[in-house]
Amino acid sequence: MCGIVGYVGEKEAQKVLIDCLSKLEYRGYDSAGVALFEKDGIEVIKATGRLQVLADEIAKRTDLTATCGIGHTRWATHGAPSDVNSHPHSSERITLVHNGIIENYLKLKALLTEAGYSFQSETDTEVLVKLLDYNYDGDPLCTILKTLSQVRGSYGLAIMFQDYPDRIYSVRKESPLIVGYGEGENFLASDIPALLKYTRDYSILEEGEIAEITKEKIQFYNEFGNPIKKERLVADWDVEAAEKCGYAHFMLKEIHEQPKAMLQTISSRIEDGLPKLRLESMTTDYLRSLRRIHIVACGTAMHAGMVGKTAIEKLCRVPVEVDIASEFRYRDPIIEKDELVIIISQSGETLDTLAALKLAKEKGAHTLAIVNVVGSSIARAADDVIYTYAGPEIAVASTKAYSVQLAVLYVFALRLALARGTKSEEEIRADVAELLRLPDLLEKVLESSDRIKYLASLFMNCDDLFYLGRGFDYALSLEGSLKLKEISYIHSEAYAAGELKHGTISLIVDGTPVIALATQDDVFEKTISNIKEVKSRGARVILFTKEGVSVPQDVADYIVTLPKYAELFMPMLTAVPLQLFAYYMAVLRGCDVDKPRNLAKSVTVE
Ligand code: M6R
């Protein structure tokens, strides 16, 4: 969480920093701040609240002349959101911004207090800057190395030393950082979108590496302080991808980008009408040998895994276990050598997911990552990676990334079914042809946005809402419910439709809103019976189903009919109106859709 930027060049540093931070605000928006090398030394300007508060503050300052500085947008961990806890934090000679958590900060704080240091904030970061100051011997590199050897935890840091006004130092452990190369200027950021307006050329800072950034040059050092050379990469995302392009919110834009994202993701993995993983290790023999698969992820990505489990088990008859990454890593999971562990992550930086991946590797599993961000930590750590081609997802609520994760899991399931012979080549070809219809069908579904908006207007004032479904529809209910909670702050629960009467049905009273999903033929009648159970207790029901099924009268108050499509792939269609419903509910309630309270896009703390 937290976004970090740095700039050294000839432009007005504060303008570049605010501009870059505006692309990273999704990483945290409790407060923001910058530190600038001004004529009289380092000046820190910071403010609680959204970046705009800081931008307004800075706009009033006509005296700023710095061409070198660092910036930060905060997701609070240690210490409440407040001016004093905002970054940057300073000692007399050093100023820094930090993304991560210093775990042994209390111990270090006690030592430093004894050494005469005093602390203004409640943060772990202030301890770090004071420790750097304590160790400072005039050589920034040695000071950083010595300090980090005393620190336990995770960090992405941008550091300014008062004695070196022409440069920024940067180092990372677990928290991501990239450096960007310009002409007579160089950059630092937590993520690529921050830099796209200025440069596409970048390098990824690896664990423990240090970058010394001046306007002419970026010099890298390894964890022992020896100079190293790094590979230069070119970002293929365009500036537009990181802009709203006329949409009211990034979330709405990203929902509408789904047909294109699906087309790119699916078509890159289809050849001659058959699924192709394009991974050397995933040979037919290997796929045949698989006895069990684990899927590990967090949040929406984990929900994608639940759909993936249903698809893989249905098509391939291989048992699949889905785990929440933060649970997986601490429950000493049973993983046999050579089992396949699929790790799903949009950002590729989620700390728990990354740790789960490392644990799976330690246990001898083969790891396959399904990731959106190219070159991210998870993508680099996994044995194999399948990239989803969704482009940058900026809204905190994941939409298009979820859909493309589903698409990859379906392609994987089809390939596995082909390898294991649980489906004939002819059947797989028919499924692939059906899959390729998806982008057009999604366009059709998006045309019904106004109807979903209307339904949201009828339900916007509710306090609780239930989602029901069976099988694929249950897995999807979980995601629909998360989306609603996350951005509209309405309490909601997702239930396997048959499970409701084992307790939760007592919550259904006159007028309780229920969203029921019934898109699966094999459990259609059962689901309809479950809907009748809630209807007869007064629920107000919106039913999402598909063309061509006959819905008994009075089973629902409102029906949303999705285009006729293979029931196997229905989750990829049904997800869209659920996303739109959550979106419009949040908009109508006046919520900050792209930046819901207390959340951040990239969760790089446990
Ligand atoms: O970047 P990741 O896919 O690893 O993120 C995992 C979750 O934090 C993420 O899906 C989260 O649940 C979304 N904000 C939900 O919309």
Side-chain angles (χ1 to χ4, degrees):
M1 348 272 268
C2 300
I4 288 179
V5 294
Y7 174 74
V8 196
E10 286 178 355
K11 301 192 172 88
E12 291 175 69
Q14 77 279 6
K15 289 195 178 151
V16 179
L17 293 172
I18 293 288
D19 190 31
C20 294
L21 282 177
S22 71
K23 305 292 181 300
L24 290 187
E25 222 191 345
Y26 67 87
R27 300 180 73 88
Y29 29 85
D30 289 329
S31 65
V34 294
L36 305 164
F37 270 119
E38 288 295 326
K39 282 190 291 295
D40 303 328
I42 298 174
E43 173 157 1
V44 170
I45 311 171
K46 52 191 187 178
T48 316
R50 298 292 160 96
L51 180 65
Q52 195 54 49
V53 181
L54 177 73
D56 292 345
E57 190 79 11
I58 286 180
K60 291 184 209 145
R61 298 284 304 269
T62 50
D63 56 326
L64 299 172
T65 57
T67 56
C68 176
I70 58 179
H72 187 264
T73 173
R74 179 171 188 242
W75 186 83
T77 58
H78 293 53
S82 68
D83 284 355
V84 76
N85 288 334
S86 305
H87 297 218
H89 287 280
S90 304
S91 66
E92 216 168 284
R93 300 172 289 184
I94 303 165
T95 294
L96 60 77
V97 292
H98 171 213
N99 170 24
I101 291 178
I102 305 303
E103 286 165 5
N104 56 339
Y105 81 106
L106 286 174
K107 207 165 156 197
L108 294 169
K109 194 171 186 174
L111 290 174
L112 289 164
T113 307
E114 219 165 273
Y117 283 90
S118 60
F119 295 86
Q120 277 75 53
S121 76
E122 305 152 79
T123 64
D124 50 337
T125 305
E126 192 185 1
V127 175
L128 187 58
V129 76
K130 301 266 158 94
L131 185 64
L132 279 162
D133 191 88
Y134 178 70
N135 288 326
Y136 187 54
D137 59 1
D139 180 340
L141 194 60
C142 290
T143 305
I144 291 170
L145 289 171
K146 180 167 182 196
T147 302
L148 295 181
S149 71
Q150 298 165 325
V151 157
R152 234 178 340 98
S154 59
Y155 45 79
L157 297 171
I159 313 170
M160 292 160 68
F161 289 82
Q162 182 82 55
D163 298 340
Y164 296 85
D166 63 337
R167 66 196 61 188
I168 298 165
Y169 286 86
S170 181
V171 60
R172 67 164 284 236
K173 182 175 165 241
E174 288 171 17
S175 306
L177 278 177
I178 57 161
V179 294
Y181 304 91
E183 292 282 325
E185 57 184 0
N186 287 310
F187 305 82
L188 170 75
S190 299
D191 203 355
I192 295 167
L195 305 187
L196 284 178
K197 187 169 156 191
Y198 300 95
T199 181
R200 283 161 187 284
D201 296 347
Y202 71 101
S203 292
I204 298 167
L205 215 55
E206 299 289 349
E207 298 274 293
E209 289 177 353
I210 299 175
E212 181 187 57
I213 308 167
T214 60
K215 71 176 183 177
E216 295 87 15
K217 190 176 173 202
I218 304 180
Q219 175 63 56
F220 298 97
Y221 301 91
N222 65 14
E223 61 199 294
F224 309 108
N226 301 321
I228 50 166
K229 289 208 171 355
K230 287 206 57 92
E231 190 188 354
R232 253 168 110 133
L233 306 165
V234 181
D236 56 5
W237 291 356
D238 54 18
V239 183
E240 261 197 6
E243 303 288 344
K244 277 194 232 157
C245 301
Y247 285 94
H249 298 97
F250 278 112
M251 182 176 174
L252 188 62
K253 174 180 174 243
E254 288 159 7
I255 289 173
H256 279 267
E257 283 172 346
Q258 289 180 108
K260 190 172 153 214
M262 290 299 237
L263 182 65
Q264 278 170 349
T265 299
I266 296 169
S267 57
S268 66
R269 303 278 160 184
I270 303 291
E271 203 177 289
D272 297 334
L274 288 173
K276 277 270 178 309
L277 298 179
R278 300 186 204 289
L279 299 171
E280 271 177 31
S281 55
M282 300 276 153
T283 59
T284 298
D285 282 349
Y286 172 75
L287 293 171
R288 267 194 201 138
S289 73
L290 283 175
R291 292 284 157 266
R292 199 158 63 125
I293 296 173
H294 303 260
I295 300 182
V296 188
C298 296
T300 290
M302 190 274 291
H303 292 159
M306 303 252 319
V307 175
K309 168 189 164 77
T310 314
I312 294 168
E313 289 187 343
K314 250 184 208 297
L315 291 178
C316 319
R317 308 308 299 153
V318 179
V320 180
E321 282 184 21
V322 179
D323 259 287
I324 296 168
S326 56
E327 290 294 311
F328 177 84
R329 54 185 293 210
Y330 293 114
R331 74 169 172 84
D332 194 11
I334 301 167
I335 301 174
E336 302 297 332
K337 228 176 168 15
D338 300 329
E339 282 185 349
L340 176 65
V341 176
I342 301 180
I343 299 283
I344 310 175
S345 175
Q346 186 285 129
S347 62
E349 299 296 346
T350 302
L351 188 97
D352 279 319
T353 312
L354 179 60
L357 163 65
K358 290 180 181 163
L359 178 68
K361 282 180 89 170
E362 272 164 36
K363 287 186 177 275
H366 187 84
T367 54
L368 165 64
I370 299 175
V371 173
N372 195 38
V373 178
V374 176
S376 55
S377 304
I378 290 174
R380 284 177 287 137
D383 296 311
D384 281 316
V385 54
I386 298 184
Y387 285 113
T388 53
Y389 296 112
E393 190 179 65
I394 309 288
V396 166
S398 187
T399 53
K400 62 177 179 173
Y402 170 75
S403 294
V404 290
Q405 285 160 358
L406 296 189
V408 167
L409 287 163
Y410 274 111
V411 172
F412 177 83
L414 291 172
R415 173 70 189 98
L416 191 58
L418 185 63
R420 300 173 77 89
T422 47
K423 278 205 146 200
S424 68
E425 188 180 313
E426 204 185 338
E427 286 169 321
I428 299 286
R429 282 188 187 283
D431 284 340
V432 166
E434 186 71 353
L435 196 54
L436 289 168
R437 288 177 60 218
L438 186 65
D440 287 345
L441 293 176
L442 285 171
E443 294 286 7
K444 216 168 150 193
V445 171
L446 285 166
E447 284 166 17
S448 64
S449 293
D450 284 349
R451 163 117 171 108
I452 305 294
K453 187 175 180 182
Y454 167 70
L455 291 173
S457 75
L458 302 179
F459 284 75
M460 62 177 274
N461 290 319
C462 69
D463 297 322
D464 299 286
L465 202 148
F466 292 83
Y467 286 78
L468 304 184
R470 283 172 178 258
F472 276 126
D473 287 332
Y474 169 53
L476 195 57
S477 296
L478 292 166
E479 176 55 11
S481 171
L482 172 63
K483 222 72 313 165
L484 184 78
K485 282 184 271 218
E486 185 178 16
I487 58 171
S488 74
Y489 316 141
I490 296 171
H491 168 253
S492 138
E493 300 207 30
Y495 262 85
E499 180 67 8
L500 202 71
K501 54 183 158 298
H502 298 284
T504 311
I505 201 161
S506 64
L507 294 171
I508 307 288
V509 292
D510 215 19
T512 305
V514 170
I515 296 208
L517 311 181
T519 68
Q520 300 297 303
D521 297 340
D522 53 346
V523 286
F524 185 77
E525 284 173 5
K526 302 263 174 233
T527 310
I528 294 296
S529 301
N530 298 137
I531 302 171
K532 282 186 178 160
E533 288 161 10
V534 293
K535 192 79 194 90
S536 62
R537 283 155 180 89
R540 268 169 92 206
V541 177
I542 308 179
L543 171 65
F544 288 78
T545 186
K546 59 181 181 183
E547 268 171 28
V549 294
S550 80
V551 178
Q553 277 222 321
D554 300 336
V555 82
D557 299 82
Y558 310 94
I559 298 180
V560 176
T561 309
L562 294 152
K564 205 170 167 57
Y565 193 39
E567 61 175 331
L568 174 67
F569 300 136
M570 276 309 286
M572 290 185 283
L573 272 195
T574 319
V576 175
L578 296 186
Q579 294 163 350
L580 285 168
F581 183 73
Y583 170 78
Y584 285 119
M585 291 285 271
V587 169
L588 293 169
R589 290 165 71 96
C591 299
D592 191 344
V593 174
D594 283 339
K595 295 180 194 126
R597 71 181 173 217
N598 305 339
L599 288 170
K601 182 75 179 160
S602 213
V603 184
T604 52
V605 291
E606 290 198 46

